[in-house]
């Protein structure tokens, strides 16, 4: 370190000051880092909310350099901004998710339930049935499940070479063919009344059940499109020049 003169000006009333001088071998500078890329995931309204709060910042949102990808099958709306800037490109993805409790019922998923297992599950989820009485009736019937499986097999052949090979299987049980649930299908949506059917699956003498609901499938399709269309309509109202692309 070379000797250099250092002048210190004291504040009025001060007659001395203590100074600490350190010598460093290298310049004490912060390293240059790349910008932090934004990758946000949230509810279906996340892209709209982000645009509402950032539209007044031209350095961040340039509509001509942004686009939205809509995937109705997976129920997602994905905003990409600064699309041509590798360092500052960001994404905001909004998705509509199936309600966890609806998933647990395994409706339309091929999930197989043993009668007593299904009975216990219904008992612990009484709140999602339209009436307490219907729930208790189902639980009792499942916990005391009885069924008769009738099989018939017909085979025949004639001199012309025609053959008949016919198998018929019928399950007679004390369980009703359908029941009603009052349950939200998507997160954040209101409960829907849906009819659920019990479909028997037979393995020898054992009978298990799958839960199916054409009505729930129809409601899912309607809600999905209605929610996505609502979000896109509001985005178009505030972002006239942003490209919206259906996948």
């Amino acid at each position: 370190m070379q000797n250099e003169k250092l002048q210190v000006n004291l504040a009025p009333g001060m007659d001395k000051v203590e100074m600490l001088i350190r010598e460093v071998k290298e310049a004490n500078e912060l390293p240059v880092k790349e910008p932090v890329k934004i990758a946000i995931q949230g509810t279906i309204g996340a892209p709209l909310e982000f645009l509402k709060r950032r539209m007044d910042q031209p350095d961040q949102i340039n509509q001509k350099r942004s686009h939205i990808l809509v995937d109705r099958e997976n129920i997602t709306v994905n905003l990409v901004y600064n699309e041509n800037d590798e360092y500052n490109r960001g994404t905001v993805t909004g998705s509509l998710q199936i309600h966890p409790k609806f998933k647990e019922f395994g409706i339309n998923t091929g999930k197989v339930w043993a009668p007593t297992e299904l009975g216990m599950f219904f008992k612990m989820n009484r709140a999602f049935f339209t009436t307490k009485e219907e729930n208790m009736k189902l639980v009792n019937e499942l916990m005391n499940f009885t069924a008769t499986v009738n099989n018939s097999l017909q085979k025949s052949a004639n001199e012309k070479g025609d053959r008949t090979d016919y198998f018929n299987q019928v399950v007679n049980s004390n369980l009703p063919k359908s029941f009603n649930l009052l349950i939200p299908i998507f997160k954040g949506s209101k409960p829907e009344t849906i009819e659920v059917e019990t479909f028997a699956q037979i393995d020898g003498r054992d009978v298990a059940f799958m839960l199916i609901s054409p009505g729930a499938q129809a409601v899912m399709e309607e809600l999905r499109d209605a929610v996505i269309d609502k979000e896109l309509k509001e985005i178009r109202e505030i972002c006239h020049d942003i490209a919206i692309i259906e996948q």
Side-chain angles (χ1 to χ4, degrees):
M1 181 177 180
Q2 297 179 349
N3 293 327
E4 296 182 3
K5 291 183 179 180
L6 182 63
Q7 181 177 351
V8 179
N9 297 320
L10 301 180
M14 295 183 61
D15 55 5
K16 63 179 181 179
V17 65
E18 181 178 343
M19 297 182 61
L20 179 64
I21 299 176
R22 289 191 176 94
E23 181 181 358
V24 294
K25 295 181 179 179
E26 298 178 0
N28 188 16
E29 297 179 355
L30 292 175
V32 177
K33 294 186 177 181
E34 297 178 1
V36 177
K37 291 186 178 181
I38 300 297
I40 300 173
Q41 294 188 347
T43 61
I44 195 70
L48 175 62
E49 181 66 19
F50 188 87
L51 288 170
K52 284 180 177 179
R53 307 302 175 188
R54 304 298 174 86
M55 276 299 299
D56 59 347
Q57 301 180 32
D59 61 322
Q60 187 167 23
I61 299 294
N62 179 347
Q63 292 188 47
K64 297 292 188 180
R65 292 291 180 264
S66 304
H67 64 267
I68 289 176
L69 299 175
V70 182
D71 186 344
R72 292 181 183 268
E73 187 68 24
N74 293 310
I75 324 178
T76 62
V77 177
N78 186 35
L79 165 67
V80 181
Y81 61 93
N82 293 330
E83 59 190 14
N84 61 331
D85 187 336
E86 181 64 28
Y87 289 98
N88 295 296
R89 184 184 304 124
T91 61
V92 181
T93 302
S95 62
L96 191 60
Q97 299 177 4
I98 301 296
H99 195 282
K101 189 55 66 174
F102 187 82
K103 280 185 179 181
E104 287 184 30
F105 275 85
I107 298 170
N108 297 337
T109 65
K111 182 174 181 177
V112 178
W113 296 90
T116 54
E117 179 189 17
L118 186 58
M120 287 300 297
F121 180 78
F122 282 175
K123 185 174 184 178
M124 299 304 296
N125 289 277
R126 180 180 297 172
F128 298 101
F129 285 77
T130 52
T131 66
K132 177 182 176 181
E133 290 72 24
E134 183 177 25
N135 172 266
M136 293 176 65
K137 184 174 183 293
L138 276 168
V139 170
N140 182 63
E141 290 169 346
L142 285 164
M143 300 304 290
N144 299 280
F145 179 76
T146 58
T148 303
V149 180
N150 297 318
N151 296 329
S152 62
L153 179 64
Q154 177 184 345
K155 287 188 177 182
S156 64
N158 59 27
E159 66 278 2
K160 295 181 181 180
D162 297 332
R163 292 181 178 275
T164 300
D165 192 340
Y166 175 77
F167 177 76
N168 184 45
Q169 190 172 56
V170 178
V171 179
N172 297 311
S173 76
N174 60 334
L175 194 66
K177 292 183 178 180
S178 66
F179 57 91
N180 292 324
L181 290 178
L182 183 61
I183 188 171
I185 296 177
F186 293 111
K187 278 186 177 181
S189 66
K190 66 181 181 65
E192 303 283 343
T193 300
I194 59 172
E195 182 183 35
V196 181
E197 301 173 16
T198 55
F199 183 81
Q201 190 173 64
I202 304 165
D203 183 10
R205 294 185 177 182
D206 296 327
V207 180
F209 293 98
M210 291 187 296
L211 303 180
I212 60 175
S213 176
Q217 190 64 33
V219 171
M220 289 177 72
E221 297 287 335
E222 293 171 2
L223 285 177
R224 178 197 68 185
D225 288 334
V227 170
I228 288 179
D229 290 342
K230 176 178 177 295
E231 293 299 316
L232 297 183
K233 179 177 181 294
E234 293 192 41
I235 288 173
R236 288 189 177 100
E237 289 175 354
I238 65 171
C239 301
H240 306 288
D241 296 325
I242 197 166
I244 298 179
I245 303 168
E246 297 267 357
Q247 292 184 303

